[in-house]
C-alpha cells in the first residue's frame, strides 16, 4: 500500500467522508459533468454489490481489468460473490496489491458479515484462499457508516510489471455499495463532484443493475376501510393521514432493511432480501409487529384530533418465495419489482386480514428454525358456541375454511383459497439476547 498526503497533510489511507459540499457553487464545468456523466461513461472499473457482497453490476472495465471476466458476470447471483470473483480473477491474483485490495473490501464487509458468513458464501475458495481471507478479516477494523470512504492507493500491477497505483472508493446506499476506481489525476475533480451527488449516482445504478432470481419475503400493509375514511375526511386531511402513516413507519422499515415496492392505492409493499447478519424472514416478521405497534400511536393521535370513533388499522399479509427481482424505469422514476405470485399472495392475505392482524403463510413461518418459531405466538381464532373467542395456538388453516366463498366480498380471496396460513399474535425476546 502506498501512502501519500494531500495539501493539508492528511494521509488518504485514513477513512474520509466526502459529501455534496465538494461541488463548487457556480462551477460551470462541474454542472456540465453532472448533466452528462453517468455510470456508463466511467472509463475505470466500477461495480455495485448488494449487502450479501454479491456483485449485481459491473462495467466492462471492472469485468476485464479487475475480475478477468470478459464474458460477463455469472448468470446466478449466488455465483457472483465479490471475494470469489476477486480470488478467482487471473488479474487480481497476480496483483502485487491483492492483500490490500482484499483488506479494503473486508473493512466494509466486516460491518455486516461474520467470518463464518464469508466462508459460507464463498464455498469455492481453496484452503489457501480461505486462510488468506480469514487472516485478513481478523486484521482489519470495520469502518463506520459514511457516505463515502476512501483508502490509500493499491498497486494492481503484477509483481514483475511497472507499478499501477489505483485509488478505490466505496459509496454506501440503502440498495448496496458502489465501488469505483478513481480516474487519472486530471479527471478526479469532475469525478468526485459527480460521485458526491448520491441521488444521480444511485438513479444511474438502479437503471443498469441486472435482474436476478433471489429468495425474498414480502410485506403488504393496507389501511382498513380506506375508502370510507377517504370519504369522511377532507382531502387535505386524508393526504396528511396517509403521509403521517408512511413517515411513522419509515424508521422500522429502515431498521429491518426493507426495500420499497410499488403498491396500488394507499397501502405499502416492501421486500426483505437476504442479509449477511440477520434472517430476512424474521426481519419481515419483526418489522410487521413494530409497525402494528406504531400504528396504534397514529390511531390515538388521530382519534384525539378528530374526536371520532373510527379506529385506524393497518392489515398485514406476509409471504416468502423465490422470484425475479429487478427494477422498472419510467420517465421520472425507478421502482423495485419482484415478478411472480409471492406478491399476489401477500396482497391477498392483507385483504383477508382484519383489525390490524398479521397473517402469514404456513410456508413462510415453517422456514424459521424451531428456536425462532418458539418466540412467536401464533394460531387461529375460533368463535365458541357461547359467542366468545378462543385462540387455538400453533395451528394453521386454509383460507377457504375461514371465509364464505359465496359472499361476493370474498371473491378476490378465492385465488388463495387453498393457501394454509395463520395469524401472528405476539413475538417475544430470545432468552440468549436478554
Amino acid at each position: 500500500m502506498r501512502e501519500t498526503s494531500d495539501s493539508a497533510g492528511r494521509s488518504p489511507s485514513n477513512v474520509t467522508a466526502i459529501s455534496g459540499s465538494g461541488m463548487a457553487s457556480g462551477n460551470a464545468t462541474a454542472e456540465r459533468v453532472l448533466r452528462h456523466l453517468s455510470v456508463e461513461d466511467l472509463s475505470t472499473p466500477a461495480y455495485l454489490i448488494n449487502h450479501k457482497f454479491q456483485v449485481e453490476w459491473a462495467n466492462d472495465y471492472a469485468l476485464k481489468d479487475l475480475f478477468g471476466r470478459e464474458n460477463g458476470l455469472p448468470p446466478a447471483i449466488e455465483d457472483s460473490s465479490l471475494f470469489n470473483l476477486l480470488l478467482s480473477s487471473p488479474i487480481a491474483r497476480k496483483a502485487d496489491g491483492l492483500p490490500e485490495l482484499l483488506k479494503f473490501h473486508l473493512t466494509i464487509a466486516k460491518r455486516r458479515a461474520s467470518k463464518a458468513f464469508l466462508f459460507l458464501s464463498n464455498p469455492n475458495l481453496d484452503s489457501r484462499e480461505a486462510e488468506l481471507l480469514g487472516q485478513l478479516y481478523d486484521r482489519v477494523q470495520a469502518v463506520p457508516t459514511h457516505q463515502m470512504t476512501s483508502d490509500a492507493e493499491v498497486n494492481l500491477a503484477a509483481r514483475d510489471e511497472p507499478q499501477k497505483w489505483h485509488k478505490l472508493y466505496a459509496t454506501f446506499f440503502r440498495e448496496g455499495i458502489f465501488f469505483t476506481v478513481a480516474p487519472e489525476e486530471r479527471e478526479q475533480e469532475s469525478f468526485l463532484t459527480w460521485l458526491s451527488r448520491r441521488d444521480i449516482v444511485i438513479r444511474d445504478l438502479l437503471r443498469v443493475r441486472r435482474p436476478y432470481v433471489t429468495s425474498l419475503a414480502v410485506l403488504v400493509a393496507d389501511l382498513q376501510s380506506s375508502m370510507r375514511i377517504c370519504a369522511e375526511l377532507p382531502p387535505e386531511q386524508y393526504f396528511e393521514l396517509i403521509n403521517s402513516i408512511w413517515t411513522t413507519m419509515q424508521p422500522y422499515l429502515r431498521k429491518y432493511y426493507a426495500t420499497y415496492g410499488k403498491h396500488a392505492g394507499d397501502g405499502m409493499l416492501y421486500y426483505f432480501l437476504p442479509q449477511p447478519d440477520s434472517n430476512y424472514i424474521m426481519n419481515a416478521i419483526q418489522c410487521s409487529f413494530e409497525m402494528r405497534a406504531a400504528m396504534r400511536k397514529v390511531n390515538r393521535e388521530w382519534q384525539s384530533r378528530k374526536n371520532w370513533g373510527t379506529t385506524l388499522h393497518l392489515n398485514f399479509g406476509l409471504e416468502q418465495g423465490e422470484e425475479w427481482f429487478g427494477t422498472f424505469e419510467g420517465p421520472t422514476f425507478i421502482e423495485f419489482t419482484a415478478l411472480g405470485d409471492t406478491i399476489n399472495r401477500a396482497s391477498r392475505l392483507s385483504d383477508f386480514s382484519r383489525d390490524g392482524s398479521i397473517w402469514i403463510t404456513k410456508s413462510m413461518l415453517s422456514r424459521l428454525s424451531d428456536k425462532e418459531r418458539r418466540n412467536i405466538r401464533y394460531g387461529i381464532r375460533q368463535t365458541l358456541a357461547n359467542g366468545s373467542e378462543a385462540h387455538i395456538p400453533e395451528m394453521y388453516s386454509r383460507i377457504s375454511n375461514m371465509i364464505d366463498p359465496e359472499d361476493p366480498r370474498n371473491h378476490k380471496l378465492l385465488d388463495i383459497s387453498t393457501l394454509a396460513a395463520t395469524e401472528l399474535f405476539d413475538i417475544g425476546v430470545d432468552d440468549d439476547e436478554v
Side-chain angles (χ1 to χ4, degrees):
M1 178 181 294
R2 182 176 70 175
E3 299 291 342
T4 60
S5 297
D6 62 16
S7 59
R10 294 186 296 267
S11 168
S13 62
N14 297 326
V15 174
T16 59
I18 301 174
S19 67
S21 60
M23 179 175 25
S25 171
N27 188 321
T29 301
E31 291 298 333
R32 285 196 298 271
V33 168
L34 293 179
R35 283 198 299 268
H36 300 295
L37 187 61
S38 71
V39 296
E40 294 167 299
D41 298 324
L42 295 177
S43 57
T44 55
Y47 45 101
L48 175 70
I49 69 168
N50 59 28
H51 293 292
K52 289 189 71 178
F53 305 96
Q54 298 161 333
V55 180
E56 294 191 354
W57 171 84
N59 67 3
D60 290 339
Y61 295 97
L63 292 171
K64 179 181 177 181
D65 300 334
L66 186 61
F67 298 130
R69 297 187 61 91
E70 296 192 16
N71 293 327
L73 294 170
I77 192 69
E78 290 80 9
D79 298 328
S80 297
S81 169
L82 171 65
F83 295 103
N84 183 65
L85 290 178
L86 288 175
L87 286 168
S88 64
S89 166
I91 297 173
R93 286 171 64 96
K94 295 178 181 178
D96 183 59
L98 175 62
E100 301 302 334
L101 178 67
L102 294 172
K103 284 168 65 176
F104 174 70
H105 291 91
L106 285 169
T107 59
I108 297 167
K110 200 167 183 176
R111 292 174 53 233
R112 295 280 302 277
S114 66
K115 188 195 295 188
F117 173 82
L118 288 181
F119 292 151
L120 289 172
S121 58
N122 294 274
N124 296 326
L125 299 181
D126 61 33
S127 58
R128 188 175 179 180
E129 293 168 342
E131 182 181 5
L132 172 64
L133 200 63
Q135 290 176 347
L136 294 177
Y137 183 93
D138 292 336
R139 294 176 191 170
V140 302
Q141 295 293 323
V143 299
T145 302
H146 285 299
Q147 286 189 337
M148 185 184 303
T149 64
S150 65
D151 205 323
E153 295 173 335
V154 174
N155 178 22
L156 295 182
R159 293 174 179 83
D160 56 349
E161 294 179 352
Q163 294 182 342
K164 296 178 182 177
W165 291 94
H166 296 74
K167 174 168 277 189
L168 308 179
Y169 291 93
T171 311
F172 295 88
F173 300 97
R174 286 183 61 189
E175 297 81 1
I177 306 168
F178 180 45
F179 289 91
T180 51
V181 175
E184 59 186 59
E185 196 70 30
R186 63 185 174 84
E187 297 179 355
Q188 283 201 22
E189 182 179 355
S190 298
F191 167 76
L192 293 177
T193 297
W194 170 78
L195 200 56
S196 70
R197 287 297 304 271
R198 295 164 54 79
D199 56 335
I200 294 175
V201 175
I202 192 59
R203 191 181 307 123
D204 276 354
L205 288 171
L206 294 181
R207 180 170 50 80
V208 300
R209 67 185 288 178
R210 59 174 177 157
Y212 56 89
V213 176
T214 181
S215 299
L216 51 75
V218 178
L219 180 154
V220 175
D222 282 311
L223 178 63
Q224 182 168 303
S225 305
S226 60
M227 294 183 65
R228 177 174 61 80
I229 294 171
C230 180
E232 292 176 351
L233 289 177
E236 63 275 12
Q237 290 187 17
Y238 182 72
F239 281 107
E240 182 183 353
L241 168 63
I242 299 303
N243 287 326
S244 173
I245 294 173
W246 281 60
T247 301
T248 299
M249 301 306 160
Q250 285 308 306
Y252 309 104
L253 294 161
R254 286 194 298 269
K255 176 181 178 180
Y256 293 105
Y257 314 115
T259 298
Y260 170 76
K262 184 178 180 181
H263 184 47
D266 44 30
M268 301 179 181
L269 187 156
Y270 279 85
Y271 304 111
F272 295 79
L273 301 172
Q275 302 291 330
D277 58 351
S278 58
N279 184 332
Y280 68 101
I281 291 178
M282 278 301 296
N283 284 343
I285 292 172
Q286 290 174 313
C287 187
S288 65
F289 276 109
E290 295 194 24
M291 289 174 66
R292 183 171 69 176
M295 189 62 194
R296 292 170 182 151
K297 180 181 178 182
V298 174
N299 175 61
R300 290 193 297 270
E301 291 173 351
W302 277 81
Q303 283 188 329
S304 174
R305 171 179 171 177
K306 298 296 295 182
N307 194 29
W308 62 355
T310 298
T311 301
L312 301 175
H313 293 294
L314 277 182
N315 297 324
F316 296 87
L318 300 175
E319 173 63 309
Q320 65 78 37
E322 186 174 82
E323 306 289 4
W324 278 96
F325 186 75
T327 56
F328 286 144
E329 180 184 5
T332 59
F333 67 89
I334 295 176
E335 65 184 38
F336 290 96
T337 302
L339 306 179
D341 294 332
T342 304
I343 298 87
N344 295 333
R345 292 193 295 268
S347 180
R348 287 292 174 260
L349 274 181
S350 72
D351 292 335
F352 173 75
S353 170
R354 305 304 299 167
D355 300 330
S357 60
I358 304 170
W359 280 83
I360 186 172
T361 64
K362 181 178 182 179
S363 172
M364 180 171 175
L365 194 58
S366 298
R367 287 180 176 266
L368 297 179
S369 67
D370 291 340
K371 181 179 179 181
E372 290 169 325
R373 211 160 41 245
R374 280 198 300 269
N375 292 313
I376 301 174
R377 192 166 65 90
Y378 65 95
I380 301 296
R381 300 175 189 262
Q382 187 175 65
T383 302
L384 303 179
N386 61 6
S388 62
E389 186 179 75
H391 292 178
I392 305 177
E394 300 181 5
M395 285 287 291
Y396 302 91
S397 177
R398 292 191 303 178
I399 299 298
S400 60
N401 295 335
M402 296 183 284
I403 64 172
D404 178 5
E406 302 302 324
D407 189 334
R409 293 174 297 181
N410 294 328
H411 284 177
K412 62 182 177 180
L413 300 176
L414 295 181
D415 56 351
I416 60 166
S417 61
T418 60
L419 192 67
T422 190
E423 183 179 351
L424 301 182
F425 299 131
D426 196 10
I427 188 169
V429 178
D430 193 324
D431 293 338
D432 294 340
E433 298 178 358
V434 176

